[in-house]
Amino acid sequence: MAQLSCTVVAAKNLPSKERFSKSDPYVVVECADQDFKTKVIDNNLNPTWNESFNIKCPESTTEMVFTIWDKNSLTKDELISNKFILIVDLIFPGTSNKCELIVKLNPSFETALVKSNRVAEAQNALFKAHCESLAAENDKFKENNKKLEEQVGIMTGENDRFKANNQKLEQENAKFQENNAKLEAQVSKMTAENAKFEANNAKLEEQVGKLTGEVDKLSGENAKFAENNAKLEASVAQLTGEVDKFSKENEKLAQTNKALEDNVNKLENNKELETKLSKLQEEVEKFTKENEKFAEQNKVLGETSAQMQANNDALHAKIAELNQQIAKFKEIYEKMSAENEKLSQIRDDFQKLKDLFFTQLDEKMQAMDRSLLEKLAADIEMMDKEEGMSPEEFDRFLARVPKHLKDKFNKIALDFKKFDTNNDNLIDYNELSKMLDMVMEQ
């Protein structure tokens, strides 16, 4: 390796590259793929640097390049002048390889070839800077694309999960609908049975009414029979009294007859007594026949009273049987009423369960729809660097909205300005949330 010491001293009469001020020059020394740069002298066309550089270069190195540049803060630095020096010209016999070089650059000396090279180098520098800028932008785009791919992967996973959840919800909904159909069939069947029970209840109530009327009728007849029995018993008692009276009179007549017989025995030859005795005998026979008639009537009345008592007992037994049937009918009616209340409670509970299920299902579907819309908005909004959704992005967002949600957007109007409340031509997160709230309320 060779060692070379180089000192950049000064420059004079440099051309100005600025419109309203002087250039800000600095020198770049190039040797064997190495660059050395002096400090910048602001606003000066005759700068003095006095800066030294120790350069290690291969022995095969043949030249050095000196270039003067104008430093710019906002744009790229501009080339002022350049100079090529052969290293062999710096080495003299009897001198060491280390020498101090004072460089004087002449910016006005420029051949057509040098000018062409300078322009080509400037264009190459600009092209290189542009390529570097494009490469940086490309790297940013690659990074954004990578982020978008990650977001797309996440959203694809989310969409797959949403699809799986939707399938599960659809299956559950189908099961609930099937169970609902079964329950509705059972309710319909129970309603039909309830109608039959009500018809049977009406018939039973009608029969109970008829039986009650029969019981009332039988009770009236029983009262009449009781009244007739009382009358018959009074008549029997009266006849019994008269029979007793006739019996006593018969006894008296028998005693009189005996007395008369005794008298007849005493007076067998008395015809008048015979005549009276004959009459008395006729009257006794008459009373005896009447007693027999009364006895026969008394027997008939006794049989009639027994028959009426038997009828009365049968009526009491019938009334007791009817009361038992009425009690059974009432028990059946109470059981059927209790079953009807249970069926009504089951129907009300099922309706509440049905309403609760569909309410929860609607809430889940709304949450999923809102999450989907937020994912779509985030996906579209991340395509550029600006925060918020522009009118063009809003149109792309509406184009990607699912069909079942487009009707809701149509109801609240598809007007960008309606949701851009602060009139900044962007829909930010808060405005997007308000818009989604309005959509979900539809």
Side-chain angles (χ1 to χ4, degrees):
M1 296 291 290
Q3 178 103 10
L4 182 64
S5 176
C6 175
T7 300
V8 179
V9 181
K12 292 182 179 181
N13 301 322
L14 295 176
S16 178
K17 296 294 183 178
E18 305 290 340
R19 290 185 180 181
F20 304 105
S21 63
K22 298 178 182 179
S23 297
D24 304 318
Y26 66 93
V27 179
V28 175
V29 181
E30 300 179 27
C31 182
D33 297 330
Q34 301 179 71
D35 295 338
F36 302 92
K37 187 184 298 183
T38 66
K39 64 185 177 181
V40 178
I41 305 298
D42 295 332
N43 198 23
N44 196 332
L45 298 179
N46 298 290
T48 300
W49 291 284
N50 286 322
E51 292 189 33
S52 298
F53 306 100
N54 293 320
I55 304 172
K56 292 182 179 181
C57 58
E59 295 179 355
S60 60
T61 303
T62 59
E63 64 182 5
M64 295 177 61
V65 181
F66 296 84
T67 54
I68 301 176
W69 296 85
D70 177 25
K71 180 68 176 179
N72 292 320
S73 58
L74 299 178
T75 60
K76 292 182 69 62
D77 296 349
E78 293 187 64
L79 179 66
I80 297 177
S81 182
N82 60 359
K83 182 71 172 179
F84 294 89
I85 298 177
L86 295 177
I87 295 177
V88 69
D89 295 336
L90 303 176
I91 303 174
F92 296 97
T95 62
S96 66
N97 290 338
K98 180 178 181 182
C99 66
E100 181 176 325
L101 175 65
I102 299 174
V103 179
K104 182 178 180 180
L105 300 176
N106 184 9
S108 62
F109 179 78
E110 188 175 50
T111 65
L113 179 60
V114 171
K115 184 177 181 180
S116 176
N117 291 334
R118 178 177 61 81
V119 172
E121 288 178 357
Q123 290 178 350
N124 289 334
L126 292 174
F127 180 74
K128 183 178 180 182
H130 185 64
C131 289
E132 290 176 353
S133 176
L134 290 176
E137 291 292 330
N138 192 20
D139 292 337
K140 290 182 180 179
F141 279 120
K142 286 181 179 179
E143 185 177 356
N144 289 333
N145 287 336
K146 185 177 180 181
K147 290 181 180 179
L148 286 174
E149 288 175 356
E150 292 177 355
Q151 291 291 332
V152 168
I154 294 173
M155 292 182 66
T156 302
E158 292 289 333
N159 289 334
D160 294 338
R161 191 176 69 180
F162 280 131
K163 288 180 181 178
N165 290 333
N166 285 334
Q167 291 177 355
K168 289 181 180 179
L169 288 173
E170 289 175 356
Q171 292 175 358
E172 292 179 358
N173 190 16
K175 290 181 181 180
F176 275 113
Q177 288 179 353
E178 183 179 358
N179 293 331
N180 188 12
K182 291 181 180 179
L183 289 173
E184 287 179 354
Q186 291 179 357
V187 170
S188 300
K189 184 178 180 180
M190 290 180 179
T191 304
E193 292 180 355
N194 191 12
K196 291 181 181 179
F197 281 131
E198 289 179 354
N200 292 331
N201 286 339
K203 291 180 181 180
L204 289 174
E205 289 177 354
E206 184 180 358
Q207 291 179 359
V208 169
K210 290 181 180 180
L211 291 174
T212 303
E214 292 290 333
V215 169
D216 294 336
K217 184 177 179 181
L218 291 173
S219 298
E221 291 180 355
N222 191 15
K224 290 181 181 180
F225 279 122
E227 185 179 357
N228 291 330
N229 285 337
K231 289 180 180 180
L232 288 172
E233 288 176 355
S235 298
V236 169
Q238 185 178 0
L239 290 172
T240 302
E242 289 179 356
V243 168
D244 293 337
K245 184 178 179 181
F246 281 119
S247 296
K248 290 179 180 179
E249 288 179 356
N250 286 332
E251 289 177 358
K252 290 179 179 179
L253 288 174
Q255 292 176 359
T256 303
N257 191 11
K258 186 177 181 181
L260 288 173
E261 285 179 355
D262 292 337
N263 292 326
V264 168
N265 292 327
K266 291 179 180 180
L267 298 174
E268 291 180 355
N269 297 321
N270 192 343
K271 293 181 179 180
E272 185 178 359
L273 289 174
E274 288 179 358
T275 303
K276 290 181 179 181
L277 183 60
S278 176
K279 289 180 179 180
L280 289 172
Q281 189 67 34
E282 291 177 357
E283 288 181 0
V284 169
E285 290 177 356
K286 183 179 179 180
F287 281 120
T288 301
K289 290 180 180 179
E290 288 180 356
N291 285 334
E292 289 177 356
K293 288 181 180 180
F294 280 123
E296 186 176 355
Q297 289 178 356
N298 194 9
K299 182 180 180 181
V300 172
L301 289 173
E303 292 176 354
T304 303
S305 179
Q307 184 66 33
M308 293 180 71
Q309 186 64 38
N311 291 334
N312 195 9
D313 293 338
L315 286 173
H316 280 295
K318 188 67 174 178
I319 290 170
E321 184 180 357
L322 290 173
N323 287 330
Q324 289 179 357
Q325 291 181 357
I326 290 171
K328 289 182 180 180
F329 285 141
K330 285 183 178 180
E331 184 179 357
I332 293 171
Y333 178 76
E334 289 175 355
K335 288 182 178 180
M336 292 174 69
S337 299
E339 290 295 328
N340 288 335
E341 290 179 358
K342 290 181 180 179
L343 289 174
S344 300
Q345 185 66 35
I346 292 172
R347 183 177 57 195
D348 295 339
D349 293 340
F350 169 73
Q351 187 64 36
K352 291 179 181 178
L353 181 62
K354 180 181 176 182
D355 295 339
L356 178 62
F357 166 72
F358 281 109
T359 300
Q360 292 178 350
L361 184 62
D362 290 339
E363 291 176 354
K364 290 182 179 179
M365 293 300 294
Q366 286 186 356
M368 293 174 65
D369 289 340
R370 185 183 181 95
S371 177
L372 177 60
L373 293 175
E374 289 177 350
K375 293 289 185 183
L376 288 176
D379 184 20
I380 293 173
E381 197 276 329
M382 286 185 64
M383 291 183 179
D384 57 15
K385 297 179 181 179
E386 296 182 358
E387 294 184 359
M389 189 184 298
S390 65
E392 293 78 10
E393 291 173 336
F394 181 73
D395 292 337
R396 291 199 299 269
F397 171 75
L398 292 179
R400 293 180 61 181
V401 169
K403 292 183 180 179
H404 70 282
L405 295 175
K406 281 190 177 179
D407 294 337
K408 295 184 178 182
F409 277 95
N410 292 332
K411 290 181 181 179
I412 63 174
L414 304 176
D415 189 4
F416 178 85
K417 295 182 180 179
K418 179 178 179 181
F419 306 116
D420 184 17
T421 56
N422 55 5
N423 298 322
D424 60 350
N425 207 32
L426 289 174
I427 294 178
D428 57 22
Y429 178 77
N430 293 329
E431 293 169 340
L432 177 65
S433 297
K434 291 180 181 179
M435 179 182 69
L436 295 181
D437 291 339
M438 294 172 63
V439 172
M440 291 298 105
E441 288 175 358
Q442 297 298 319

